[in-house]
Amino acid sequence: MRISHHIRLTASLLIILMISGLKVSFAQSIIPLETKNNAMVLQIGDDKVLRTIYNGPKLRNAKEYAIVQGVQRPDTDYTGQLSSAYTPSGSRNLFEPAISLTHSDGNPSLELKYISHTVEKVDADVSLIKINLKDPKYTLELTLFYKVYVKHDVVEQWTKIVNGEAGDVVLHKYASANLYLEGNAFFLNQFHGDWAKEMQSEETKITHGIKTLDSKLGTRANLFQPPIFMVSIDKPAGEDEGTVLFGGLEWSGNFRTDLELDNQDNLKIISGINNYASDYTLSKGKEFTTPKFLFTLSTKGKGQASRNLHDWARNYKLLDGHGNRLTLLNNWESTYFDFNEQKLNGLIKNTKALGVDLFLLDDGWFANKYPRNGDVAGLGDWEENKEKLPNGISSLVKTAKENQVKFGIWIEPEMVNPKSRLYEQHPDWVIKQPKREEYYFRNQLVLDLTNAKVQDFVFGVVDSLFIKNPGLAYIKWDCNAVIYNAFSQTLADQSHFYVDYVQGLYNVLERIRKKYPTVPMMLCSGGGGRVDYAALQYFTEYWPSDNTDPLERIFMQWQYSYFYPALASANHVTDWGKQPLKFRTDVAMMGKLGFDIVVAGLNEKDLAFAKQAVINYNRVKDIIFNGDQYRLANPLEGSVASMAYISKDGEKGVIFNYLVNNRYGSRSRASIPIKGLDPTAKYVINETNIYPGTISKIVSSREYSGDFLMKVGFNPDLDQSRTSVIVEIRRIN
């Protein structure tokens, strides 16, 4: 990149002005965005084009950012825009743009020139940098936002586009972020899946051209591919070594991330809303703000990157990120749709006997004209089914209170069955195309959240439940269908549909949270079809997958854990899989614990174990929720999986160990080094969650130095008779 280095103000003066929050003029040519360990440095060229000149570990001397480009000899940049901080299209750019539009006079080209920038100190840890750009020939303005979380090495980036032209401007592409990375090679770790097969990982070397990660599903957009990814620089990063960038779009609809390796062998990452079928028209004076794109850079491997995100999410993004989470008993796998008030009252009593906090009533409690006795009817008719619940939900809430447990309920308010009163009364509320046959996903269609009346209806579903049942303590919000035949019967511009649908969803969730700010809600979407940090601002937890086979969940929860902290992962003990109850329970404890089993059907030892497991979990859950997470033994690389949660002060921890290979002779042969301890301290290790009648092989009186445990390690002694072992570690000096 041949970029002019005429520095009009020293970097030190720039930093003084940034801290003061003053508006910065073009006279300053370097804009460093520094976190605790990293820096992304932008430069204003003599041509007023804003470019990225550095993205890597923070330099000790900020003045030296200005000479970074002077020590490199790149190939020719024919465009002068390869390293653009936000690449426009239609003029001299030859590569993938971040923004593409048509001006009000029909001109499809765009140039972006630096005007000014400001820095606002949000708090001691957070700064918000706003950079104003403008087309020199048109009154089209753009603001790049960078929210820098210094302590957590996390940056959020987004864009605001303002039309000051006399007529309409049509946005064809409008990305949130445009990153530029230099390196010798790049390796993409992406995720894919399907129902019950979420978060399958694959890593490949990035070759020249464009690799696109995207979704066009409309809702439940993560079904086949989530909007999160990793890019390793120079070589594939390990858990504790290598340079790696974690990225993800905070958006609950169609997304698109382009990764383009250019002719200089550098990598451009452009991410935002998917512009598929989504040209967006801005009339005069209107503006469009993109969703946030988040990223963190680690030079110490994937483990540090994930802990960056975990701390950031708990502090700034997750709803009630440092709060408690309710353990629960769900009725779904014990009754499915076949229940009545008497059965549910019995399950509520089982909830109390098990020792968990809450009973969750799942699908099937509603609709009368078309009773919800299966997934073919009733969705959209949110009145209690009189045959199943003659005394209504309020009677169940009362029974729960009498048994000293809380009560929660399942809803799927964005959806409708064609066989429902709602569909008959409001066919114009349903997403479907004229002149096309309806096409169903799980026998249902999606309601049109671009319609304000539908937004009122969906809010009313939740609001009426709380009004009628003030003791209601939990919502499981499901979303099982994707959008087929996308069309709104009330929207003026159909190309706005996919964007306005998600914004309509957020409008509803904003209203719910304004009125009910603290009620826990699970983000469920036929499994993990809608897991992103935009949605998780409104929900306390997410449902990773409908696949609750504990062996499968070890692998899924492992992959999710790179991006999301454990307290956000809702894990239930069910009858999926062939593993014993202990194995199933141990796996579910690596997050927010729930049960979805027939408690009355447990034998004496299983019931005793389950009750004690809840007690054990309540003792250690604060470490799981708020401690540092360390992946110790990768199930993809051997017969053992091991995951540790260590308190921030290194005083205590809990380590989950599993045998994931059933072949003859499989066991934990080697010791597993532990991480996050104080090397100068002494520790003891004892086994917990022991099944009744078994004796632990762990010698709880033995003392270890932190140095020994981190360099040599500890063997949980797994074998085919002992497939799941949880140990607690405690500092004794």
Side-chain angles (χ1 to χ4, degrees), residues 8 26 28 63 66 124 161-162 242-243 380 417 475 488 500 526 540 549 603 671 696 698 702 708 720 723:
R8 290 173 171 78
F26 175 66
Q28 297 159 315
K63 295 180 181 180
I161 306 159
V162 181
T243 300
N417 285 127
I475 295 288
S488 167
D500 289 358
T540 48
D549 181 311
N603 62 43
S671 59
S696 175
I698 307 299
R702 182 173 296 162
F708 178 90
Q720 292 190 354
T723 56

Side-chain angles (χ1 to χ4, degrees), residues 542-608:
Y542 68 91
W543 183 238
S545 177
D546 283 345
N547 184 344
T548 53
D549 181 311
L551 187 60
E552 296 285 350
R553 272 299 189 103
I554 289 171
F555 291 86
M556 288 183 190
Q557 291 169 203
W558 185 277
Q559 301 298 343
Y560 274 114
S561 77
Y562 285 112
F563 293 88
Y564 306 102
L567 88 163
S569 178
N571 308 329
H572 289 185
V573 181
T574 74
D575 289 328
W576 279 53
K578 300 178 181 179
Q579 293 79 12
L581 180 66
K582 171 175 165 51
F583 192 101
R584 288 179 273 148
T585 305
D586 289 356
V587 173
M589 285 174 62
M590 293 194 301
K592 200 222 76 167
L593 176 65
F595 290 84
D596 202 335
I597 56 177
V598 183
V599 176
L602 297 177
N603 62 43
E604 183 179 350
K605 285 187 176 181
D606 276 356
L607 180 59

